Amino acid sequence: MTSSSVQSSDLLVPLDLAFWNIETAAHPMHLGALGVFESDGPGAADRAAELLAARAAAVPGLRTRIRPVWLPVGGAIRVPMPAFDPLEHIRLAAPVADYQAAAGELMQRPVERGRPPWEAHVLPGADGTSFAVFFKFHHALADGLRALTLGAALLDPVDLPASRERPPAPTPSPWSALDPRTLPGRLRGTAAAAGQALGIGTSLARATLGVRSCAALTSAATGTRRAAGVVLDLDDVHQVRKAVGGTVNDVLIAVVAGALRRWLDERGDCSEGVEPRALIPVSRRRPRTAQPPGNRLSGYLVRLPVGHEDPLVRLRGVRAAMDRNKEAGPERGAGAVALLAEHVPALGHRIGGPVVAQAARLLFDILVTSVPLPGIGLRLGGCGLTEVYPFAPLAQGQSLAVAVSTYKGRVHYGLTADAAAVPDLDLLAQSLRDELDGLVAVCAREAGLVTRPGAT
């Protein structure tokens, strides 16, 4: 493919290139989602696999692979896959007794880079009452919102709000850089970009000062994976939010902070003074806009107040930190580190990918991301989706990532961990439940209400 035939909307944006080039066999960079469906009888999983294969053939975004281009040097492009075969991407497994254990094994395996970088694994339940589908989308193919759009296209049709298609950006003329009339604008743009990069870099340096993290989050990684899922009641989250203020997301992040404290103390690690840096991704897409493909992400960096004993102090600390980040905006501050990818030429991503991959542990300690889901019930082959757990990839040198979604009145946490560094992931999962129960109990006591039975 010549450079003149490359459309700007098909080229991987800088952050896509970063995800594509930092991946290694031991550190795959794909998003995961485990959906559990009610079974309507024998053969439900087989029918689901057939439906997925039939529908995948009609989704253009699932037919594209990533390949390098000559110009820009080091760049890559999405192109249609010749003789695309959905059966190479959709696999029907043997009956599974533990969906989350299977998810951990599947998160460990990289997707095939020579084909469209996604997979769907249909997992029949061993008891015959349910089946699950585990989706994998490479982060260079899609961010969370784009992955949701691609996955939803494989499920039964529903009346979702239509995505607003943005027209592709025009391909700039190769001679435009020589036009002297564009020089002032280009100089202003270069100066602004340099100022933004300097500001983000300075904020990152400050964010590393005076922080006590914990080895459990940044242990030497082995490339093995374990996954766990937790379901919590969204009404409990709203009860805490109404009592303390802030947003649902503030409460969900504070629950992670409190769970980390409980987990560290239970396993014998000291939580006193621990303030791990959590990267909270922020979408830069417009609402209901899944186009263009690729990543449109920034982020906030928040020190999780793990070391504070009082759960309300932790929640108020998270809320204050998130408010400060929102006031500054997603294009400033240490959390906007993803935007630095835009200041690196394509060749720099290809050459410097291994170096950037090893630097992740210096930038943040844990990823805590939220994946939006529609508020209506989803189905596959008439079988209702009852649970859905998102899973985030692990960067080199990091042991734990947390993803969270709300669906049909419940909160689903998906935990991805290095299996050797975090052998007690189930303990952390239980700590999430205990922390929300504790917050509910504290808020109820402060309001003079009767706590729920079993709340601690």
Side-chain angles (χ1 to χ4, degrees), residues 161-433:
S163 295
R164 298 170 182 159
E165 300 289 331
R166 297 174 63 183
T171 304
S173 165
W175 306 105
S176 60
L178 302 179
D179 188 344
R181 293 172 297 180
T182 67
L183 181 59
R186 284 187 283 119
L187 289 176
R188 286 193 299 271
T190 300
Q196 181 189 45
L198 179 60
I200 295 172
T202 301
S203 297
L204 272 173
R206 291 173 179 167
T208 62
L209 299 177
V211 177
R212 185 186 166 217
S213 186
C214 53
L217 299 180
T218 54
S219 300
T222 64
T224 57
R225 293 291 179 269
R226 177 169 292 157
V230 184
V231 182
L232 304 179
D233 194 331
L234 185 58
D235 285 342
D236 287 345
V237 176
H238 281 299
Q239 181 177 334
V240 174
R241 179 191 62 80
K242 292 175 182 177
V244 182
T247 67
V248 165
N249 203 39
D250 293 342
V251 178
L252 298 178
I253 296 170
V255 167
V256 173
L260 288 174
R261 177 184 176 84
R262 291 170 181 266
W263 175 62
L264 290 172
D265 289 343
E266 182 69 23
R267 72 199 320 246
D269 295 334
C270 180
S271 63
E272 184 178 355
V274 170
E275 288 187 311
R277 297 161 300 167
L279 181 63
I280 316 292
V282 176
S283 176
R284 298 168 64 205
R285 293 187 184 277
R286 297 175 183 175
R288 304 206 326 263
T289 302
Q291 296 289 344
N295 286 272
R296 298 295 186 272
L297 293 173
S298 182
Y300 299 145
L301 196 68
V302 174
R303 292 190 184 185
L304 298 180
V306 171
H308 288 283
E309 182 177 2
D310 188 331
L312 293 184
V313 170
R314 291 195 295 269
L315 175 51
R316 292 181 179 118
V318 167
R319 178 186 176 188
M322 288 296 289
D323 286 346
R324 288 193 297 270
N325 275 289
K326 292 172 186 176
E327 184 177 356
E331 297 188 356
R332 298 174 56 189
V337 61
L339 300 185
L340 294 180
E342 299 177 0
H343 305 291
V344 178
L347 184 60
H349 284 291
R350 180 173 296 182
I351 296 174
V355 176
V356 173
Q358 296 176 18
R361 66 188 303 172
L362 303 177
L363 304 177
F364 60 96
D365 303 307
I366 182 174
L367 180 74
V368 182
T369 183
S370 178
V371 182
L373 288 176
I376 60 176
L378 300 174
R379 309 180 76 83
L380 176 58
C383 300
L385 177 65
T386 60
E387 303 170 37
V388 56
Y389 303 94
F391 296 100
L394 286 181
Q396 291 189 38
Q398 296 183 332
S399 304
L400 178 67
V402 180
V404 58
S405 287
T406 56
Y407 176 68
K408 296 184 68 175
R410 299 196 295 175
V411 178
H412 294 77
Y413 280 95
L415 309 177
T416 309
D418 183 277
V422 188
D424 54 352
L425 188 61
D426 290 341
L427 175 60
L428 178 58
Q430 182 60 47
S431 297
L432 288 165
R433 296 188 182 95

Side-chain angles (χ1 to χ4, degrees), residues 34-38 99 130-133 384-389 407:
L34 176 67
V36 180
F37 296 84
E38 295 174 327
Y99 294 137
S130 66
F131 68 89
V133 180
L385 177 65
T386 60
E387 303 170 37
V388 56
Y389 303 94
Y407 176 68

